[in-house]
Amino acid sequence: QTYQRVDTLQILHSQFIGDSTYYSNQGAYLGDVGLLVVDSSQFTKWGSQGVYVDRVDSADVRRSDFSFNFYEGLYLDNYNGRRVDAYVAGNTFRDNGDYGFYVYPTRHVTFRDNYVHATHDGGIFLDSDGLYQGDAVGRILSDSVVMSATFDHALEVWGLDSTYVDSLLVRQPADTAVGIIAAWLKSAWADVRRSQFLNEYYEGVEFHGAVLNVANALFTACNICAGYPYAIYLPDAAPAALSVTGSTFSDMYYAVLAQSVTPGGGAFDLSSDTVTHSYYGFVAQADSVHASDNVMTNILYAGIRTTPTSSSGPIRVAAIERNQIACNDSVSAPTGIQTTGQPTLAVGNALT
């Protein structure tokens, strides 16, 4: 436990094993640290956080274990008017009572090659302390998150300017309906690439911001959840730009549902994606939509459906090209392509 300002504090090759039946104990409680370095250490079974740092400027945390704590595994904050920089790599966060990794307020955080198993609450939490501070950046790279907690988030982001998600694996139980949002992103700009969201029941990616790019991602439903999940969900107001390319969706209710009643909600590019065994493929409310070279099979209700944001605003155009859509004939009048209230270019589509 520290009380006075420490420029640099290192915890190396150490073990802090607690008794989680004792409330409000931390493995390490640190206050006012310039740089925290943790390497190859263990903080487990504490009645509060494994490590709680109150007022830290930056942290470098590697190859350590933060597991079986009553609250968060690793909690970093700074109330001195500065925001936290952190590099967190190769760690384990297992079965903590609250988030495995929690940072508030965030400036630059990289979370890389970590394993998170959440059975009680969420996985990763980043908050910039207010919307869009100008330089708040989160990078989630090659991490694995296993979720058994109900109605929480594997990744939760609040108010960052940029969020990069690359090669993230979020896995839920295959035979159990666990109602989580795999990635809840309130970020001005977000890029999700080469990531897998497996065995979903509720939502894969829910986005609140200006620009969302999703590329080469995989979304699947759990064995008993077919037809329930929303893979990519953009509630009102939808972002100014959405790109979903090269991604695969299986057993969804919506592969993409993007809604906006505010003029300027577009442009959307939905290209080279694969949707199978789903109720809806892409449902987009936007001022301009480009959907091309998608392959959809066994679609129950509608493959591609577009509507403008409102009756007033900019010119609204839909360009729908070279899509292959095969509907399920078990319901009456399924729809391959439907556009409403906007000029539409439909060329080279194959509908069955």
Side-chain angles (χ1 to χ4, degrees), residues 66-107:
F66 305 84
S67 299
F68 307 109
N69 299 291
F70 193 83
Y71 289 117
E72 294 84 4
L74 173 60
Y75 189 112
L76 306 175
D77 74 33
N78 197 330
Y79 293 97
N80 283 342
R82 297 184 295 271
R83 287 175 289 136
V84 178
D85 294 335
Y87 184 86
V88 179
N91 303 282
T92 298
F93 302 84
R94 188 176 186 84
D95 295 345
N96 293 288
D98 210 316
Y99 282 87
F101 176 59
Y102 189 108
V103 181
Y104 174 87
T106 298
R107 193 172 78 100

Side-chain angles (χ1 to χ4, degrees), residues 1 25 45 63 67 120 154 167 191 205 213 266 277 342 352:
Q1 182 167 320
N25 288 330
K45 300 180 181 178
R63 295 176 290 271
S67 299
H120 304 289
S167 305
D191 192 275
V205 175
N213 301 316
H277 298 90
Q342 55 198 162
T352 57

Side-chain angles (χ1 to χ4, degrees), residues 175-209:
D175 300 311
T176 305
V178 178
I180 73 159
I181 299 175
W184 193 96
L185 307 177
K186 190 179 184 77
S187 180
W189 184 94
D191 192 275
V192 180
R193 295 182 180 271
R194 292 178 289 269
S195 296
Q196 299 183 48
F197 304 90
L198 307 182
N199 304 326
E200 293 180 38
Y201 169 63
Y202 189 45
E203 293 178 17
V205 175
E206 180 176 326
F207 181 70
H208 303 255

Side-chain angles (χ1 to χ4, degrees), residues 6 70 120 125 127 167 178 188 197 213 240 259 271 287 291-292 299 326 346:
V6 176
F70 193 83
H120 304 289
F125 183 95
D127 188 342
S167 305
V178 178
F197 304 90
N213 301 316
Q259 300 172 301
S271 301
D287 291 325
S292 68
I299 302 301

Side-chain angles (χ1 to χ4, degrees), residues 275 295-300 324-329 336 350-352:
V275 183
V295 177
M296 301 184 181
T297 58
N298 202 4
I299 302 301
L300 196 62
Q324 301 176 49
I325 303 175
C327 294
N328 187 313
D329 59 6
L351 309 179
T352 57

Side-chain angles (χ1 to χ4, degrees), residues 5-351:
R5 173 76 175 182
V6 176
D7 292 331
T8 302
L9 177 65
Q10 294 184 327
I11 302 175
L12 309 176
H13 303 279
S14 301
Q15 286 186 315
F16 297 79
I17 311 300
D19 182 346
S20 59
T21 62
Y22 286 89
Y23 180 70
S24 296
N25 288 330
Q26 291 94 0
Y29 181 95
L30 311 173
D32 209 355
V33 177
L35 170 63
L36 172 67
V37 178
V38 178
D39 196 345
S40 304
S41 295
Q42 184 178 16
F43 306 85
T44 62
K45 300 180 181 178
W46 290 92
S48 191
Q49 294 84 8
V51 173
Y52 182 94
V53 190
D54 178 15
R55 302 185 306 277
V56 59
D57 295 339
S58 60
D60 187 332
V61 181
R62 308 181 192 227
R63 295 176 290 271
S64 295
D65 183 11
F66 305 84
S67 299
F68 307 109
N69 299 291
F70 193 83
Y71 289 117
E72 294 84 4
L74 173 60
Y75 189 112
L76 306 175
D77 74 33
N78 197 330
Y79 293 97
N80 283 342
R82 297 184 295 271
R83 287 175 289 136
V84 178
D85 294 335
Y87 184 86
V88 179
N91 303 282
T92 298
F93 302 84
R94 188 176 186 84
D95 295 345
N96 293 288
D98 210 316
Y99 282 87
F101 176 59
Y102 189 108
V103 181
Y104 174 87
T106 298
R107 193 172 78 100
H108 295 161
V109 171
T110 297
F111 194 75
R112 186 182 196 118
D113 297 317
N114 299 283
Y115 174 76
V116 181
H117 185 193
T119 57
H120 304 289
D121 211 307
I124 307 160
F125 183 95
L126 307 178
D127 188 342
S128 72
D129 187 25
L131 296 180
Y132 317 138
Q133 298 285 335
D135 62 348
V137 178
R139 295 178 176 86
I140 310 298
L141 310 172
S142 302
D143 300 293
S144 179
V145 181
V146 177
M147 291 292 296
S148 300
T150 299
F151 298 110
D152 222 301
H153 310 104
L155 169 63
E156 185 171 352
V157 168
W158 284 83
L160 299 193
D161 296 279
S162 301
T163 302
Y164 301 82
V165 179
D166 196 337
S167 305
L168 171 67
L169 170 63
V170 178
R171 187 174 73 251
Q172 302 172 47
D175 300 311
T176 305
V178 178
I180 73 159
I181 299 175
W184 193 96
L185 307 177
K186 190 179 184 77
S187 180
W189 184 94
D191 192 275
V192 180
R193 295 182 180 271
R194 292 178 289 269
S195 296
Q196 299 183 48
F197 304 90
L198 307 182
N199 304 326
E200 293 180 38
Y201 169 63
Y202 189 45
E203 293 178 17
V205 175
E206 180 176 326
F207 181 70
H208 303 255
V211 179
L212 173 63
N213 301 316
V214 179
N216 303 312
L218 173 63
F219 299 82
T220 69
C222 75
N223 295 341
I224 62 173
C225 309
Y228 284 92
Y230 295 15
I232 300 174
Y233 177 45
L234 284 59
D236 184 54
L242 167 68
S243 173
V244 181
T245 59
S247 296
T248 300
F249 307 85
S250 178
D251 296 302
M252 297 289 120
Y253 193 79
Y254 291 102
V256 175
L257 175 60
Q259 300 172 301
S260 179
V261 296
T262 304
F268 291 176
D269 179 25
L270 309 167
S271 301
S272 302
D273 300 302
T274 300
V275 183
T276 62
H277 298 90
S278 296
Y279 282 71
Y280 293 92
F282 305 144
V283 176
Q285 190 174 15
D287 291 325
S288 66
V289 177
H290 177 239
S292 68
D293 303 293
N294 299 290
V295 177
M296 301 184 181
T297 58
N298 202 4
I299 302 301
L300 196 62
Y301 292 147
I304 299 173
R305 177 181 292 177
T306 70
T307 57
T309 56
S310 69
S311 59
S312 63
I315 297 174
R316 297 168 291 277
V317 177
I320 302 175
E321 307 172 281
R322 301 180 303 277
N323 299 283
Q324 301 176 49
I325 303 175
C327 294
N328 187 313
D329 59 6
S330 65
V331 298
S332 61
T335 303
I337 297 172
Q338 179 182 356
T339 65
T340 304
Q342 55 198 162
T344 301
L345 171 67
V347 177
N349 300 287
L351 309 179

